[in-house]
Amino acid sequence: MLDDQLKTQLAAYLERVTQPFELVASLDDSDTAREMLQLLQTIQSLRADKISLRTDGSDARRPSFSLQRVGSSSQLRFAGLPLGHEFTSLVLALLWTGGHPPKVEQDVIEQIQALDGDYNFEVYMSLSCHNCPDVVQALSLMAILNPRIKTTVIEGGAFQEEVTRREIMAVPMVFLNGEVFASGRMTVEEIVAKLDTGAAARDAAKLSAKAPYDVLVVGGGPAGAAAAVYAARKGIRVGVAAERFGGQVNDTLAIENYISVLETDGPKFAAALEAHTRAYDVDIMNLQRADKLIPATQPGGLTEVVLANGGSLKAKTVILSTGARWRNVNVPGEAEFKNKGVAYCPHCDGPLFKGKDVAVIGGGNSGIEAAIDLAGVVRHVTVIEFAPELKADAVLVKKLHSLPNVVVHTNAQTTEITGAEGKVNGLRYKDRVSGEEHLVALEGVFVQIGLVPNTEWLKGTIELSRFGEIVVDAKGQTNVPGVLAAGDCTTVPYKQIVIAAGEGAKAALSAFDHLIRTPAAA
């Protein structure tokens, strides 16, 4: 089950276990159950003094196993094998159950422990999903910290009948007490905030009480992280207000073009961005969405950023790095069938469409990469491209055309995503040359048509291009003194991680230059 190298690494991690706990397996006669027993026996053998194994579990969902700390009533269960991307989640669950402290802020831990109510979470994941581990790890930790929280982690591939019955067509998918709670990537802070209804007001008051910053960065992607690091190295007071640190990088699978890093993936890169920023004296405020910008009323005065929760932050200079999000195709059926056949992440949700027919809308690099990826999993892929020809790199187009289960329609305008009984069953498109309409029968649609800058909240305050991008000059300055911008939300061409990081550094240097050249307001 585990090779010698992985066993050695796991043994080293398990040395951190300080409290005894037991693994309780509920097995059947399936191949998955036999593999699960082998995995659990290996884990137990590596720390036999602290970990015991029982195979007399009575859980109805089989094969599965629970982690139970001696003297605790924690309720954490894995149904199916947590391997692939979820092996790290299993290791962390073993360590946390065994008493190793999690790398989570103490106030978050206290907030989890104080949650008043009975919460039964079921989270469905796939082993190839790079968005799932954050959710799995968050809900696992919550079950370990609070005995009134029960979490079951379910590998969809091992429970296909269940996935079909509950109409799960995107992962991670979370149910709370039998009802849909959330889908997509979420941090532990986001989950707790959704359960703790009084958290927003408390957070707003705490934020509003903070002293003004020399530089306030709004956004925590590559541009925002670089800006924060460069500003902090000047020895000034720096804050970062981010809706999700790492931004859209979190949703990127392979990163192979960031100079000096041969290969990594989005979640690892995002974690490295945050770790680098935290290495400096930067005040990071996560889960904060900016709602309004109030420019300074006089040179050297303070600019205010009002947050969605009602709090506000003030600063002498502000760097806007709010990034961009996936563009919607905006046709009937897209919103209605989101996560019911309409998806945006082929790496996460592709395995759920194994053996089925799907479409990819978009002929750029992201669309063609998605089609190539999906072709190895699904039965058939239909690519729909509005333009007369595919816009992706030639090497990708050549690879796509070599695949036997892919068909491409160019000059094709998507007009509707159809469905029945709550899920997708087809896609309509119009031939832009002949005007003829076509209906393609399928079960999944992956939208891959580019990005929209997250700048709606700035309309009327900052100069925006006709595409909604923040207009900046060569120094990253906007039309408002003391307000700079960087990254995918700006008019700078080529939306790439390395470019965003460089623009963030430039904006920080420009902010510092503004600070030393602008007299303080009276």
Side-chain angles (χ1 to χ4, degrees):
M1 175 57 63
L2 303 181
D3 60 33
D4 290 340
Q5 182 179 0
L6 204 53
K7 286 181 183 178
T8 301
Q9 293 173 345
L10 181 57
Y13 282 120
L14 293 179
E15 285 299 317
R16 304 174 188 180
V17 170
T18 59
Q19 298 183 29
F21 66 91
E22 61 180 4
L23 304 168
V24 182
S26 300
L27 304 173
D28 54 21
D29 58 357
S30 66
D31 290 339
T32 302
R34 283 186 282 275
E35 292 177 0
M36 179 179 290
L37 179 59
Q38 185 181 349
L39 173 64
L40 297 179
Q41 288 172 334
T42 299
I43 293 170
Q44 191 274 332
S45 69
L46 295 175
R47 273 309 300 268
D49 60 321
K50 295 292 185 184
I51 304 174
S52 58
L53 172 61
R54 287 171 34 205
T55 58
D56 58 350
S58 58
D59 194 79
R61 192 182 271 118
R62 297 168 181 261
S64 66
F65 66 93
S66 64
L67 289 74
Q68 297 179 1
R69 184 186 299 169
V70 175
S72 170
S73 57
S74 61
Q75 302 179 76
L76 172 61
R77 176 173 296 277
F78 288 88
L81 284 167
L83 299 176
H85 284 298
E86 294 301 340
F87 186 68
T88 299
S89 301
L90 171 61
V91 173
L92 289 173
L94 293 168
L95 294 181
W96 295 334
T97 304
H100 187 70
K103 293 182 179 179
V104 177
E105 297 293 335
Q106 184 59 34
D107 59 346
V108 176
I109 292 175
E110 293 172 358
Q111 197 176 356
I112 293 170
Q113 293 170 331
L115 285 173
D116 186 21
D118 294 311
Y119 304 98
N120 181 10
F121 286 104
E122 297 166 290
V123 52
Y124 290 84
M125 55 79 174
S126 72
L127 300 183
S128 60
C129 170
H130 62 281
N131 283 329
C132 295
D134 279 356
V135 180
V136 169
Q137 291 163 24
L139 293 173
S140 297
L141 178 61
M142 291 172 65
I144 293 168
L145 292 176
N146 188 328
R148 298 186 68 177
I149 297 174
K150 177 181 179 181
T151 295
T152 303
V153 179
I154 304 158
E155 196 277 292
F159 294 89
Q160 282 289 343
E161 184 278 329
E162 196 171 319
V163 166
T164 302
R165 174 168 46 82
R166 300 186 86 164
E167 297 184 348
I168 296 165
M169 305 184 76
V171 287
M173 179 69 74
V174 181
F175 289 79
L176 172 58
N177 297 335
E179 302 292 331
V180 173
F181 174 75
S183 64
R185 189 188 211 102
M186 294 183 76
T187 64
V188 65
E189 293 87 354
E190 288 174 297
I191 296 171
V192 172
K194 197 168 179 178
L195 298 173
D196 186 354
T197 54
R202 296 194 303 271
D203 200 27
K206 188 188 304 183
L207 292 167
S208 298
K210 289 179 179 287
Y213 298 94
D214 293 306
V215 175
L216 174 63
V217 181
V218 183
V229 168
Y230 265 72
R233 286 171 62 87
K234 296 295 185 181
I236 56 181
R237 177 168 162 75
V238 180
V240 176
E243 194 167 356
R244 178 177 61 152
F245 211 98
Q248 192 154 1
V249 164
N250 284 291
D251 302 323
T252 303
L253 188 60
I255 299 174
E256 299 175 345
N257 56 358
Y258 193 84
I259 307 308
S260 82
V261 180
L262 288 177
E263 183 181 359
T264 185
D265 61 45
K268 287 181 182 177
F269 191 82
L273 290 177
E274 184 166 0
H276 195 170
T277 305
R278 289 189 183 278
Y280 293 88
D281 189 19
V282 175
D283 186 6
I284 295 179
M285 296 157 280
N286 261 319
L287 305 184
Q288 303 304 328
R289 181 168 59 84
D291 197 50
K292 186 178 181 182
L293 180 74
I294 304 175
T297 56
Q298 58 181 313
L302 297 176
T303 295
E304 183 178 0
V305 175
V306 180
L307 303 170
N309 63 9
S312 69
L313 301 167
K314 295 182 175 67
K316 297 175 184 176
T317 60
V318 172
I319 298 174
L320 305 171
S321 57
T322 49
R325 63 187 184 276
W326 291 116
R327 184 184 300 275
N328 291 322
V329 71
N330 291 322
V331 297
E334 180 182 22
E336 180 183 355
F337 298 113
K338 184 177 180 180
N339 297 327
K340 294 295 183 181
V342 175
Y344 299 84
C345 180
H347 309 296
C348 304
D349 301 330
L352 298 174
F353 295 86
K354 184 177 181 180
K356 299 178 180 179
D357 295 344
V358 304
V360 173
I361 302 176
N365 280 349
S366 60
I368 301 311
E369 287 173 354
I372 293 169
D373 185 13
L374 290 166
V377 178
V378 304
R379 184 170 60 187
H380 189 270
V381 180
T382 300
V383 177
I384 305 293
E385 167 55 37
F386 184 85
E389 58 185 31
L390 299 178
K391 301 184 292 292
D393 295 341
V395 63
L396 294 175
V397 174
K398 183 178 180 181
K399 173 64 175 176
L400 182 77
H401 286 312
S402 73
L403 301 174
N405 61 335
V406 176
V407 65
V408 177
H409 298 294
T410 55
N411 265 324
Q413 179 181 358
T414 303
T415 57
E416 183 184 5
I417 297 171
T418 64
E421 299 179 353
K423 54 187 177 183
V424 167
N425 68 2
L427 177 146
R428 293 186 189 277
Y429 73 91
K430 182 175 71 174
D431 187 311
R432 296 177 57 233
V433 176
S434 67
E436 186 177 352
E437 294 238 358
H438 300 270
L439 173 64
V440 181
L442 42 75
E443 295 176 78
V445 176
F446 289 81
V447 181
Q448 301 279 293
I449 56 172
L451 303 171
V452 179
N454 297 316
T455 58
E456 291 88 350
W457 63 287
L458 295 168
K459 288 179 179 178
T461 306
I462 297 288
E463 182 184 358
L464 304 177
S465 74
R466 65 188 180 94
F467 301 109
E469 298 167 319
I470 301 171
V471 177
V472 293
D473 65 11
K475 292 185 177 181
Q477 299 173 127
T478 71
N479 64 314
V480 176
V483 178
L484 304 100
D488 287 2
C489 64
T490 73
T491 50
V492 171
Y494 309 120
K495 312 306 185 187
Q496 298 289 310
I497 294 173
V498 68
I499 292 173
E503 292 296 311
K506 183 201 295 182
L509 296 175
S510 296
F512 184 72
D513 186 66
H514 177 85
L515 287 170
I516 63 177
R517 294 175 184 276
T518 304

